[in-house]
């Protein structure tokens, strides 16, 4: 449960950074929408992303990992669909957001002093 809370916090911070850097992403004017988006993103990444990654292994290998980035984009779009206040202007904004969210999560995981565990639900 503690790990889920940390992952939620990291994903929320990552989404905050992405919306701050990219004009094509927004969570509206309500701070709670960002918290809900962070929770939804954490849950879909925790439960759905591993299944999609395993089913997509041939595509991930053939595209040298680019398809894995598309899975991350899909996780962002699922969050957008579930949390209407979290908006994504276009596909390319989602691609940039997926890269930023992955980078911020990587930095937060490294700086927290805990090794990244498989299946933590963070966007890679």
């Amino acid at each position: 449960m503690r790990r889920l809370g940390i992952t939620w916090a990291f994903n929320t911070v990552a989404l905050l950074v992405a919306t701050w850097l990219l004009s094509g992403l927004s969570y509206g004017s309500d701070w709670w929408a960002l918290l809900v988006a962070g929770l939804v993103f954490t849950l879909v990444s925790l439960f759905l992303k591993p299944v999609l990654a395993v089913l997509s292994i041939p595509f991930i290998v053939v595209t040298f990992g680019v398809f894995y980035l598309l899975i991350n984009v899909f996780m962002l779009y699922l969050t957008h669909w579930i949390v209407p206040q979290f908006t994504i202007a276009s596909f390319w904004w989602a691609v940039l957001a997926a890269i930023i969210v992955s980078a911020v999560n990587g930095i937060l995981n490294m700086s927290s002093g805990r090794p990244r565990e498989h299946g933590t639900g963070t966007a890679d």
Side-chain angles (χ1 to χ4, degrees), residues 41 44-45 48-50 52-53 56-79 88 90-100 102 123-124:
F41 184 73
V44 293
S45 293
L48 188 58
K49 185 177 178 179
L52 291 176
S56 304
I57 287 174
F59 298 109
I60 293 169
V61 170
V62 168
T63 62
F64 300 108
V66 173
F67 197 80
Y68 196 69
L69 174 66
L70 294 178
I71 293 173
N72 288 333
V73 170
F74 181 65
M75 297 299 107
L76 285 169
Y77 269 114
L78 275 177
T79 303
I88 303 171
S90 71
F91 172 77
W92 294 111
W93 287 117
V95 170
L96 288 173
I99 293 168
I100 291 169
S102 296
D124 293 321

Side-chain angles (χ1 to χ4, degrees), residues 19 25-31 33-34 84-87:
T19 56
L25 246 58
S26 174
Y27 59 87
S29 60
D30 298 322
W31 60 269
L34 178 64
Q85 294 86 353
F86 181 72
T87 58

